[in-house]
Amino acid sequence: MKLRISLALLALLPLLAMAQLTIKGRVIDSQTGASLQGAHLNLNNRLVKVTTNDKGMFEINGLKAGNYKLKVTFIGYHNWEALFDIKENKTMLISMEQAPILTDETIISSTRANEKTPVAYQNLTAKDISKQDQGRDIPFLLEQMPATVVSSDAGTGVGYTGFRIRGTDMNRINITVNGIPLNDPESHSVFWVNMPDFASSVGSLQVQRGVGTSTNGAAAFGASINLQTATPAPEAYGIITNAAGSFNTWRHTISAGTGLIGGKWALDARLSKISSDGYIDRATSDLKSFYVSGGYYGKGTIVKMNIFSGNEVTYQAWDGIPSDILKTNRTYNGIGMYTDYQGNTKFYENETDNYQQDHYQLMLSQRLAGHLSGSFAIHYTRGSGYYEQFKDDENLEDYLIEPVIVPGSDSLVISESDLIRRKYLDNDFYGFTWSLNYEKEKLNLIMGGSGNRYEGLHFGEVIWAEFAQTAGYNHRWYEGTGDKRDLNLYAKAQYQANRKLNLYADMQLRGLKYELGGKDDDQRDITQSHDFLFFNPKTGLFYELHNKGNIYVSFAIANREPNRDNYTDADPDKPAPVAETLFDYELGYNYINNSIKASANFYYMSYRDQLVLTGAINDVGAAIMTNVPESYRTGLEMSSTLKLNEKLQGSANLTLSSNKIKNFTEFIDDWDNWGSQLENPIGKTDLAFSPGVIAGAEISWSVVKGLEAAINGKYVSRQYIDNTASTDRSLDPYFVSNLRVSWVIEPDFIRGIEVNLNINNLFNTEYETNAWVYRYYSENSYGKLDGYFPQAGINLMAGLTLKL
């Protein structure tokens, strides 16, 4: 029997050999010889290889002998086509000519750093993003970047998420999409939960650490992030992704595009739905989003419109877990808890956050005379939503509701009631951005700016109360407004002084007017007006030591205005908060060869009047932030990528830092003497949420063609959750590791099938990434209220993607 099988296989070998022919080769720029990564190959009108790799290489297997037509497309280049008869394996060098056509990169070039800009930055390409994208928010795409710490309220990366870079939180990080501001003008933050699955529509992103280059919108006070939406594919496509994982997490995404019709027109669209129960009790998320982009791509003109929207419903998990419960119940969530008439503990089912955010962007990029090009965009963002809460035994007068007199009795008065309330935010944000770019030989000049206006309405309504006969339907108990106008103008210049030296200068003028009106939820009048005019200069130089290494040095000044909470929570009996100023010094070195890419960056960020939490409270007991005269962050960031061979490569980064307030005084609320506080002079101390050591590493292995595995690890040292450097109020150091496996196959009947498996927190580490604390003094001892945010233990996410 074995002999017969062997003879049959021998007889089939010639046929098998005929069926397994291969075309492989490289795609390059005809003028420079540079490799073209991301070129699309079409064989006999069937897309058989999505993109060329980072060396421009491609390989098409499983072909039979015969006649073929090969077409190669790449945006910004003329199409390449050839007819040939294949009888044996074939190796090709494909040389493509540049076409006189603008690309999407012109839209964001004015706000991005390039290879000779003297700042610390890192890019993620569409391929990098696709590998890491598993439906979690964008902060988790940045997890392996230097000096970065990410966190999730629900513990899974779905729902409310955030990150810090160099210890700086999101309301000090400038974030733009296609050069258009994304930060909320009042809170200065970005709520990624309002943009679910947006990573699926991002073509690239750049993170600049430190002040970076001038940009539009909120102040870059520790970092800036520039996202560019995806560019159109040369060919029509359709992609269907379905994924499921731990905690009843589901992701469904459908995207499609026309490709470049006639080489000029394109339409792309995406529809997504993500849901999860969350790791934390009742931390559910129900997220929906869509993205539509259409444009005209001419020889000297791009006109593009993006519309994207997100709708989120999440059960609140903002309070965290008290430290005395954390050790026994890591998933506890006390939000929405109440006791019914029978003494049973229950949770209000609709203790949810509900919000929708719609974005509209219309962009024009135009090649002007000679070496001059320009871009102009108008934008509009509409946001509306509320969060709902059940409150028991609330004082009716706090809600402007008259006490209820019990019928038949003139003396029996009900002044407290259970009730359900909603706090609303209704806002409009609109404006324009523009830039002009002149590039010729040794000189690159950029001018640009933006004008934006924000109009926000904050109000609260009681939608039900057990005892509130005097209150009308949806009784409104407070209403406040915010009106902010922001104008900025910048000019940048890069000059190649000689073969090795490149000089850089960047000047920005930013003016703001911020007006608050009405009342806050505690009935305090918040009417006030603030004007700012900031000058933010930057300068530096870039020097090539040799053909594989370079150094840079830079200095920058940034200014940041206080946000809404800094004003509304400020103690009226004390000086109002003032703007913060940052002096940023950077010194870096880069080295690159065929197998190693390494960089090191030293920074010193000196702050004047930085706003920090001190433990102080205002006249109604709300925690406030206070300006401290002097503080700083200094550190060394190192990162490297090593390609061991064609199948195995690794990367690593390490950040060592020291982050201090030079002279700090803690304020502690005295409960025995309400309205007074104890002062605790500490002197020099650590800044909160600023770990001294952050390290990351990843190893990826291309096991066989189409099958890739990667394992990474992240270490974060101790983080203090207030500015007292007390281990009793800190996050323990942690190390967490994740495993990613992907398998791509390309059968004849479909463009591609991809199977993904992600195992997060591979070693089931118990760790927390965020927390808050409030200290008080009562009955001759100190106490605290706090909340910690634990992340999920080992959890899985598996997905199937069909590329049509």
Side-chain angles (χ1 to χ4, degrees), residues 381-401:
T381 301
R382 169 67 179 166
S384 179
Y386 63 89
Y387 63 89
E388 184 168 313
Q389 296 174 308
F390 176 88
K391 308 293 287 186
D392 55 355
D393 296 330
E394 291 288 282
N395 190 325
L396 291 174
E397 291 185 348
D398 290 342
Y399 295 86
L400 304 184
I401 299 174

Side-chain angles (χ1 to χ4, degrees), residues 54 99 110 144 151 172 225 317 344 368 414 421 455 506 542 563 592 718 736 780:
D54 58 352
S110 65
Q144 287 299 315
S151 183
R172 286 174 167 82
I225 299 177
N344 301 313
L368 304 171
I414 298 175
R421 71 183 191 185
E455 298 173 293
D506 181 345
F542 176 96
N563 64 23
I592 184 170
R718 184 171 302 279
V736 63
N780 298 319

Side-chain angles (χ1 to χ4, degrees), residues 595-661:
S595 59
I596 299 175
K597 182 178 181 180
S599 65
N601 183 74
F602 172 79
Y603 64 90
Y604 180 74
M605 300 166 65
S606 176
Y607 297 87
R608 185 178 66 204
D609 295 324
Q610 185 176 188
L611 283 161
V612 301
L613 287 168
T614 65
I617 61 171
N618 62 15
D619 56 330
V620 294
I624 62 174
M625 298 185 76
T626 302
N627 297 102
V628 293
E630 294 181 281
S631 55
Y632 67 86
R633 302 180 189 275
T634 186
L636 177 64
E637 301 164 332
M638 297 174 285
S639 62
S640 63
T641 300
L642 173 63
K643 191 167 187 177
L644 300 172
N645 53 50
E646 290 299 321
K647 292 189 174 183
L648 191 64
Q649 71 175 25
S651 62
N653 63 77
L654 173 66
T655 302
L656 306 172
S657 66
S658 177
N659 312 276
K660 303 287 186 179
I661 301 174

Side-chain angles (χ1 to χ4, degrees), residues 544-565:
E544 291 188 15
L545 296 172
H546 45 77
N547 61 352
K548 295 180 181 179
N550 56 72
I551 61 171
Y552 63 84
V553 61
S554 66
F555 170 71
I557 299 176
N559 292 276
R560 174 185 177 272
E561 75 279 11
N563 64 23
R564 180 184 177 90
D565 287 347

Side-chain angles (χ1 to χ4, degrees), residues 211-360:
V211 171
T213 65
S214 291
T215 183
N216 300 312
F221 219 65
S224 60
I225 299 177
N226 182 295
L227 300 121
Q228 180 190 7
T229 52
T231 59
E235 304 287 340
Y237 69 92
I239 301 175
I240 301 173
T241 298
N242 290 284
S246 304
F247 316 113
N248 196 30
T249 301
W250 294 87
R251 177 196 180 193
H252 308 289
T253 301
I254 300 174
S255 57
T258 62
L260 282 174
I261 301 173
K264 293 184 177 181
W265 299 90
L267 179 66
D268 296 272
R270 172 185 55 82
L271 187 65
S272 302
K273 185 180 189 306
I274 299 174
S275 61
S276 177
D277 289 345
Y279 169 66
I280 303 299
D281 295 342
R282 296 175 308 286
T284 57
S285 297
D286 183 8
L287 316 176
K288 304 179 182 70
S289 70
F290 74 82
Y291 170 86
V292 178
S293 177
Y296 168 81
Y297 294 80
K299 290 185 178 181
T301 304
I302 294 177
V303 180
K304 184 174 182 178
M305 184 164 189
N306 293 338
I307 302 174
F308 51 97
S309 175
N311 179 274
E312 61 93 2
V313 179
T314 57
Y315 194 98
Q316 296 166 33
W318 306 330
D319 284 0
I321 301 174
S323 55
D324 56 349
I325 297 177
L326 185 61
K327 293 182 180 179
T328 58
N329 185 358
R330 293 182 58 79
T331 66
Y332 172 83
N333 183 7
I335 296 182
M337 180 186 296
Y338 69 97
T339 303
D340 67 11
Y341 292 115
Q342 287 76 38
N344 301 313
T345 298
K346 292 187 176 181
F347 294 89
Y348 180 53
E349 293 182 356
N350 200 39
E351 195 92 355
T352 56
D353 181 63
N354 307 260
Y355 200 78
Q356 177 160 330
Q357 194 172 74
D358 307 317
H359 299 258
Y360 304 86

Side-chain angles (χ1 to χ4, degrees), residues 181-222:
L182 189 60
N183 300 74
D184 177 82
E186 288 200 296
S187 70
H188 300 184
S189 193
V190 172
F191 300 97
W192 300 105
V193 69
N194 299 329
M195 304 169 63
D197 205 24
F198 189 68
S200 295
S201 299
V202 173
S204 68
L205 68 82
Q206 182 179 88
V207 177
Q208 298 178 24
R209 301 188 299 277
V211 171
T213 65
S214 291
T215 183
N216 300 312
F221 219 65

